[in-house]
Structures are given as C-alpha cells and as structure tokens.
Amino acid sequence: MSQIPHTSAERPVPTSADVARLAGVSRATVSYVLNGTSAVRISEATRIRVREAADELGYIPHAAARSLRSGSSRMVLLPASPVPVGPLYSRFFNEFQWALRRFDYTVVQYGSLGLSPDEAARAWAELRPVAVVGLGGPQLTAAGIQLLRRSGVKAVITLGPEPVAGAHALAMDHRQVGLCAGAHLLERGRRRIGVVVPREPGLEMFSQPRLAGVRAAVEGSGATVEPLALSYDEESAAALAERWPALGLDAVFAYNDEYAMLLMRALQDRGIDIPGECAVMGADDLLLGRLLRPRLSTVQLDMATGQQLAELVERVVRDPGGEPERHDMMAARAIPRESTQPGRRAPAHT
Amino acid sequence: MSQIPHTSAERPVPTSADVARLAGVSRATVSYVLNGTSAVRISEATRIRVREAADELGYIPHAAARSLRSGSSRMVLLPASPVPVGPLYSRFFNEFQWALRRFDYTVVQYGSLGLSPDEAARAWAELRPVAVVGLGGPQLTAAGIQLLRRSGVKAVITLGPEPVAGAHALAMDHRQVGLCAGAHLLERGRRRIGVVVPREPGLEMFSQPRLAGVRAAVEGSGATVEPLALSYDEESAAALAERWPALGLDAVFAYNDEYAMLLMRALQDRGIDIPGECAVMGADDLLLGRLLRPRLSTVQLDMATGQQLAELVERVVRDPGGEPERHDMMAARAIPRESTQPGRRAPAHT
C-alpha cells in the first residue's frame, strides 16, 4: 500500500454563488461571463474579476447548465453497445470520433445496460446532448425520440433495418451479407448450404438477417439451407464436425471469419476436405483468415466512413427541421479465395 | 428517401421556470420535488401538481443540476480508449458495467481524443461524475485529479504502471507478460530471442514494458534479446521472414497471439520449421491460436474481474477520505503448447 498525499474530499464543492460572492457580482453575471453568452454586455474589468474568483476557488461550470444558457451543447451521445465490438467497428468508431472532434463535438458513450428503451432515452436527455446517434444499445422508440427532441436534442440518428419515426435512419442491412455469401456458394455449384447461427447472446441481430439473406439468395434455385447452432469454443465445433457426414452439406456460410476458422479447423481435424467435400465461407475479411490454408473466402463489409457520419451529424444539427433522411451504412461483396474453390481437392492436412 | 413525420425541433425546450409557472409554485419548489431532496417538507398536493405540470410540458431535469442539488450523482465516468480494444478487455469492460449497474451506477465513456490531460479532466469535471476510472484515454496528472476532487468527484482511480498523487491506483504491469514469456523460452533452451514490437501507434504502452520484461527475464543468463519492428500486415511479416536467417534467432516472443499467428505463417511459408528452428510465443490465449498447427504457446493474462473493480468504486465513493490504495489488476502465466516445444521438429506444412 503506497502512501500518497491526497486532496480531502470533505471540502465543499465551490458553486457559482461562491464565485459571485468573492467577485462581488450577481450569480447571473457569473453565469454570463463563464458560459460565454455574448448577448449581454459586461465590462472587461468585471469579466476579469469573475474569472479570477473562479480560478481562486477552483470553480468548474456544469456542462448541462452551460449548454442550457448558451443554447446548445456540443455533446454527441452514443449509447454504448453491450455486445463486444470487432476490429471493423472499432476502426469506424475511432474515425467517427476524430471527425466529430474536428467539428468541435465531444463524444460521450452512455452505458444503458438493463434500461428499457424509454428509460434510456430519459437518462440520455438529462445530459442535454445536441445529438444522439444510436449505433448500439437499446433501440429507440418513437416516444423516446420525441422525448429527446423535446429536451433540445437537434439530431437523432438511429441504426437498424427499419427507420423509426422522428429520427434520421442509418440502414445496416445484414441480409446483404447473407445474400452475397449465398450467391457466391450457388455460383460455385454448391447445393446444400449450412449457415452457422452463433449461440452467443446478442448476436441474433446480425445472425438472423444473415441467415435470411442466404435463404433469399437460393430461393427458386432448388438449393437447401440448414441453420447450424454453434458456440465459439472447440468442443461445440468438434461436436458439429462429428455430425457433419449425417448432415450431407457441401458448403457452409459460417457467420463470420472467426466462426469459420473455428469450424474449418474442426472439419479438417475430422478429415473432411476443404473445399473438396465442403466449401467454407466467412465474413469480415480478417487478416487471420488469409493466413489459413486453404485461404478463407469471405464477405467484405464496406462501412460508410466515420467522416461521412460526422458530416451528417453536423448537417442535421445545423438544420434540425429538415425531412428525415435514410442512408445506407454498409455494402457487402464476396471475396473468393481457396476455401470455396470449385472442384478443388486440397492435399490432406496433418 | 423515406417520408417520416417528425417532431419539430423549433418548439422551445421547456425549463423548470415553465413548470413552476404552470404549477403555480417557485422554481425552488420544482427543483425540490423533481430532484428528490428530502430535506425540505412539501405537501403531497404540491408534489402532484409539480409532477403533472412537468409531464404536461415534457420537462426533463438536468442530470448535472440534479446531482448538484441531491449532493451526488451516480455517474461513473470512464475516459474512452482511443486504441482499439481486444476481446479480453471488452469482456472485462462489460462485466464492469453490469457490476456498476447492480450498484445503481451509470457508466459514461467520455471521448477525449485530442485533449490534453488537464483539458480532459476539466471536461469530465463539468459532467459532475461521482467517480472517474481512468482505464484508457489521457493519463491523469496530479493537477487534473485535484481539479476533479474539487468538483465533487469522490473516487478517482487511475490505471498505469505508476500511481498518481491523489488517486487510487490500479497497476497493470505488462512487464509481467514479458517476464513470463522470457522465462518460458529460456527454460526451453532458447538463447537468441526476438521480441516483436508492433509498429501500430498507441501500442507502445504495452509493447515497451513487455520488451523490458523479456530483457529482465534473460538478464545474467547469457541469452540475447533482439527487438523486431513489425506491422500487422502480410507484407511486413514476409519481409521480416526474409531477413530471418540473417538474424540467427531461435525464438520469438511475438507481442500477442495475433502478431504471433501472422509471423508464424510467414516463417512457415519461408520453410522455417516451428518449433524446430524457431520457437514462437504469443500472448492473450486467443481461441484462434489453439487452432493453429503447431498449436501456439501463449501467455495468459488474468485480469481482475469487473465485479472486483466495481466493488472498489463503491467502497471509495462511500468512504472518499481513505488512504489511496494500490491494486494489481493483472496476473500473467505461460501456457506451453507445441510452438515452443523443445527439440521438436514438426512435419513440414503444405
């Protein structure tokens, strides 16, 4: 245990009333000076006196009070995602933050675990953000959006398959991912396609539309689609590989590259030839998938850039009365590699 | 472009003064009722009138104003990390959020990109959190901590190799990771050890102590340590593999499992036998490392649980005057697998 001198927490927190008293001015004057309201004329001598008093006391204005008085905050609130985020999203999110920063916004991610959508909207509204961008966390309802707008939020942007009344919509249609994968496997002559559906909670919002996309891709072709539950561990993959011969599949779209790497290894360990007996396809185009032998075919997701989303935020904040817009956030395309090559029999692995 | 009816943003945001007017009471009374101050007696009839007026107007109290009046907020502020976080941290962080939620705290992650440590501390203080837990983002200074304490923050907890005056310290000593890896490779008879230092910005805070740990582990043994710059892409790995024979190394600690997988593939593609000619070791114990052949040896990091950290926050908030504490967040241990086996020559891969 180290011995570090520390500031006592018992000293009372200085308020604007303390600053007013020390500077010999009214609380309103303190507020005008420190919150930068330009509408009121205050002499330079008074401004200096107030700032010196604030410094002496260590007074810090409230962000929310300041935003109320100056008419707008520069806080962009993002509900934090309770689902672990992958490297693709991580990169997008950093870029988004930097771009907002260049517009002089501050990003706050709000943890809303265990809150209903409307409770969450109320909690967010209490922080008086100027924009709410729902990339994760509880799905906003029309009522929640109205509540946010009433609290002064100028831009509400939601992400999801369907727009919500009162908000601008970012569409991120994961059916596209399944459509690409299904079309690619069909084109490679595969007819009995397994689709991995991860058992891990929170992934249904991605896995269900991906499955639906594969079904849509094969519709009318005579090919069949078989959902396959899989947990992200070696035991579950080994158990699925054990059942493989009985399933009679000649291809599998494995949800993403990580599940594909897990399942491909288990299939290879059972002596199943990839892609000869079964084609394997992932999604995300991770570097690690390119390191496998056979190299993993995948679906590449192109997300809108963080810069584009930041520009949308800035535009809507400046013109909050415009018609709700809808933007596509994601494009998908198949990247064929060795693991889905037609008529190829790889040499057996040791 | 879809046509969605939306709430006009032009209607003015209702204030507590509007609520007071509608309810026929003072602003102070509105504040007492809506912010739940129990120190003042207010009749039930008045309380109902105020709540009805607030509902009718759609008034939402300010979080910061409420925290000021009720004497404490339940917001725990975490500076958001600008570095992409891995699955290990992601899991820890979710657990931490859930645990804080059970203590009725709300977690806010604050993006502080481009702010100096003291600017960041000021911005955080403006939100009036009850606790600041610096797991990422700008490193707090003693001055920043004092400023936070003065604004009413009861618990300041920093993460890093060294404690900062005025705050409780979480130690996450990445030298431990290098020490484990170095000791394991020595024990396996390796004498010329390469250590991967990623070129990606932001990772120095992990890679430098890991390198120092390997150096400390081999000190006095006669073994040598060679830092190896590597970018996370196939070209960089191929270029390093090309130089490999000239380097004369018999082992490499590759920073983490992902860099290890990348480098091991490049070495295998150059016909270098792993572990016969060179042992390869990662860190993080990712599932994917177990899928490689040879299976990847690694250093497992055991982080303190999110529950333990949440309990520390709660304890310090309840007793903010206590002596600063120091806690170890991480323990490391080697997990030997095939890629560092002594005297083993794996069959060549195709």
Side-chain angles (χ1 to χ4, degrees):
Chain A
M1 211 63 78
S2 33
Q3 299 296 312
I4 310 165
H6 68 297
T7 312
S8 164
E10 308 313 321
R11 217 174 343 159
V13 177
T15 65
S16 65
D18 298 328
V19 177
R21 219 172 357 251
L22 185 60
V25 301
S26 70
R27 275 186 68 178
T29 302
V30 170
S31 160
Y32 292 139
V33 172
L34 297 182
N35 298 320
T37 313
S38 55
V40 181
R41 272 181 191 283
I42 293 172
S43 75
E44 191 53 29
T46 304
R47 286 185 192 277
I48 290 170
R49 213 159 67 238
V50 168
R51 287 211 191 88
E52 283 177 353
D55 281 351
E56 189 176 329
L57 293 171
Y59 170 72
I60 295 164
H62 275 229
R66 172 147 76 182
S67 68
L68 186 70
R69 292 190 184 109
S70 69
S72 89
S73 84
R74 296 298 286 174
M75 182 198 294
V76 176
L77 187 143
L78 283 81
S81 171
V83 179
V85 297
L88 196 73
Y89 180 82
S90 226
R91 205 177 322 128
F92 163 79
F93 182 69
N94 266 336
E95 201 188 74
F96 181 45
Q97 274 200 77
W98 273 113
L100 286 173
R101 181 87 206 125
R102 284 191 291 269
F103 285 122
D104 197 31
Y105 290 108
T106 291
V107 178
V108 166
Q109 287 173 269
Y110 197 99
S112 312
L113 281 173
L115 295 183
S116 77
D118 291 348
E119 285 168 343
R122 175 164 283 269
W124 303 340
E126 289 195 1
L127 288 178
R128 294 292 191 271
V130 70
V132 173
V133 183
L135 297 178
Q139 273 295 319
L140 276 164
T141 63
I145 290 165
Q146 193 157 11
L147 184 145
L148 288 169
R149 301 290 301 246
R150 295 282 294 151
S151 81
V153 176
K154 289 187 178 159
V156 182
I157 300 173
T158 63
L159 176 71
E162 295 299 329
V164 187
H168 299 265
L170 302 174
M172 189 127 106
D173 185 0
H174 281 267
R175 276 172 41 106
Q176 292 292 339
V177 183
L179 273 169
C180 275
H184 174 71
L185 293 170
L186 265 191
E187 187 193 297
R188 292 291 157 103
R190 309 291 167 156
R191 288 293 171 266
R192 298 181 302 283
I193 301 171
V195 176
V196 166
V197 179
R199 284 212 184 89
E200 280 67 25
L203 298 181
E204 307 80 15
M205 60 186 287
F206 308 115
S207 63
Q208 289 304 323
R210 287 180 188 199
L211 174 60
V214 178
R215 287 197 203 280
V218 308
E219 204 173 279
S221 71
T224 59
V225 172
E226 175 81 23
L228 304 167
L230 177 63
S231 306
Y232 191 61
D233 59 59
E234 287 176 281
E235 295 66 33
S236 176
L240 181 54
E242 175 92 34
R243 291 200 297 131
W244 209 256
L247 290 166
L249 302 170
D250 61 12
V252 59
F253 170 54
Y255 176 68
N256 73 9
D257 286 352
E258 287 173 304
Y259 286 86
M261 290 160 85
L262 173 65
L263 181 57
M264 187 158 104
R265 166 53 62 194
L267 293 175
Q268 287 176 325
D269 284 352
R270 292 282 303 174
I272 293 161
D273 177 57
I274 313 293
E277 292 172 65
C278 184
V280 177
M281 186 154 198
D284 284 351
D285 192 21
L286 293 191
L287 171 56
L288 298 177
R290 274 172 263 160
L291 305 179
L292 299 188
R293 300 296 180 266
R295 289 174 179 82
L296 186 64
S297 296
T298 191
V299 179
Q300 192 186 57
L301 310 184
D302 286 318
M303 301 249 286
T305 65
Q307 177 67 30
Q308 289 169 319
L309 182 52
E311 282 166 11
L312 176 65
V313 169
E314 170 70 359
R315 192 153 50 74
V316 177
V317 166
R318 281 171 181 277
D319 176 21
E323 279 303 314
E325 301 173 14
R326 184 178 172 150
H327 296 273
D328 260 327
M329 275 287 282
M330 199 177 78
R333 67 189 178 98
I335 309 265
R337 295 203 185 97
E338 298 158 3
S339 71
T340 56
Q341 269 180 20
R344 180 179 186 272
R345 286 217 153 241
H349 260 247
T350 41
Chain B
M1 211 66 77
S2 31
Q3 301 294 315
I4 310 165
H6 69 296
T7 312
S8 163
E10 308 313 321
R11 214 168 352 153
V13 176
T15 65
S16 65
D18 299 328
V19 177
R21 222 173 353 255
L22 185 61
V25 299
S26 70
R27 275 187 69 179
T29 302
V30 169
S31 160
Y32 292 140
V33 171
L34 298 181
N35 299 319
T37 314
S38 55
V40 180
R41 273 185 190 281
I42 293 172
S43 75
E44 192 52 28
T46 303
R47 287 184 190 277
I48 290 170
R49 212 156 70 237
V50 169
R51 288 210 190 89
E52 283 176 354
D55 281 350
E56 189 176 330
L57 294 170
Y59 171 72
I60 295 164
H62 276 231
R66 173 147 76 181
S67 69
L68 185 70
R69 293 191 185 107
S70 69
S72 91
S73 84
R74 297 298 285 175
M75 182 199 294
V76 176
L77 187 143
L78 281 81
S81 172
V83 179
V85 296
L88 197 73
Y89 180 80
S90 226
R91 204 175 324 129
F92 163 78
F93 183 67
N94 267 336
E95 199 188 76
F96 180 45
Q97 275 202 75
W98 273 114
L100 285 173
R101 180 87 207 124
R102 284 189 291 268
F103 284 122
D104 197 33
Y105 290 108
T106 291
V107 178
V108 166
Q109 287 173 271
Y110 196 99
S112 313
L113 281 172
L115 296 183
S116 77
D118 290 348
E119 285 168 345
R122 174 165 285 270
W124 303 338
E126 289 196 0
L127 288 178
R128 296 291 192 273
V130 70
V132 173
V133 183
L135 297 178
Q139 273 293 320
L140 276 164
T141 62
I145 290 165
Q146 192 156 14
L147 184 146
L148 288 169
R149 300 290 301 246
R150 293 283 294 151
S151 82
V153 177
K154 290 187 178 160
V156 182
I157 299 172
T158 64
L159 176 71
E162 295 299 327
V164 187
H168 300 264
L170 302 174
M172 189 127 107
D173 185 359
H174 282 266
R175 277 171 40 105
Q176 291 293 339
V177 183
L179 273 169
C180 275
H184 173 71
L185 292 170
L186 267 190
E187 186 194 295
R188 291 292 157 102
R190 309 290 166 156
R191 287 294 171 266
R192 297 180 305 282
I193 302 172
V195 176
V196 166
V197 179
R199 284 212 186 88
E200 280 66 26
L203 298 182
E204 308 79 14
M205 60 185 288
F206 308 115
S207 63
Q208 288 305 323
R210 288 181 187 197
L211 173 60
V214 178
R215 287 195 201 280
V218 308
E219 205 173 278
S221 71
T224 59
V225 172
E226 176 82 23
L228 304 168
L230 177 63
S231 305
Y232 191 62
D233 59 60
E234 287 175 282
E235 296 66 33
S236 177
L240 181 54
E242 176 92 34
R243 292 199 298 128
W244 209 256
L247 290 166
L249 302 170
D250 61 11
V252 59
F253 170 54
Y255 176 67
N256 74 10
D257 287 351
E258 287 173 303
Y259 286 85
M261 290 160 84
L262 174 64
L263 181 57
M264 188 157 103
R265 165 54 62 192
L267 294 175
Q268 286 176 326
D269 284 350
R270 292 280 305 172
I272 293 162
D273 177 58
I274 314 292
E277 292 173 65
C278 183
V280 177
M281 186 155 198
D284 284 352
D285 192 21
L286 293 190
L287 171 56
L288 297 177
R290 274 172 263 160
L291 306 179
L292 300 187
R293 301 295 178 267
R295 289 173 178 83
L296 187 64
S297 297
T298 193
V299 179
Q300 192 187 58
L301 310 185
D302 287 316
M303 301 249 286
T305 65
Q307 177 67 30
Q308 289 168 319
L309 182 51
E311 282 166 10
L312 175 65
V313 169
E314 170 71 0
R315 191 153 50 76
V316 177
V317 166
R318 283 172 179 275
D319 176 23
E323 279 303 314
E325 301 173 14
R326 184 178 174 153
H327 296 272
D328 261 326
M329 276 286 283
M330 201 177 77
R333 68 189 178 99
I335 310 264
R337 295 203 186 98
E338 297 157 5
S339 70
T340 56
Q341 270 181 20
R344 181 180 185 270
R345 286 217 154 239
H349 260 250
T350 39

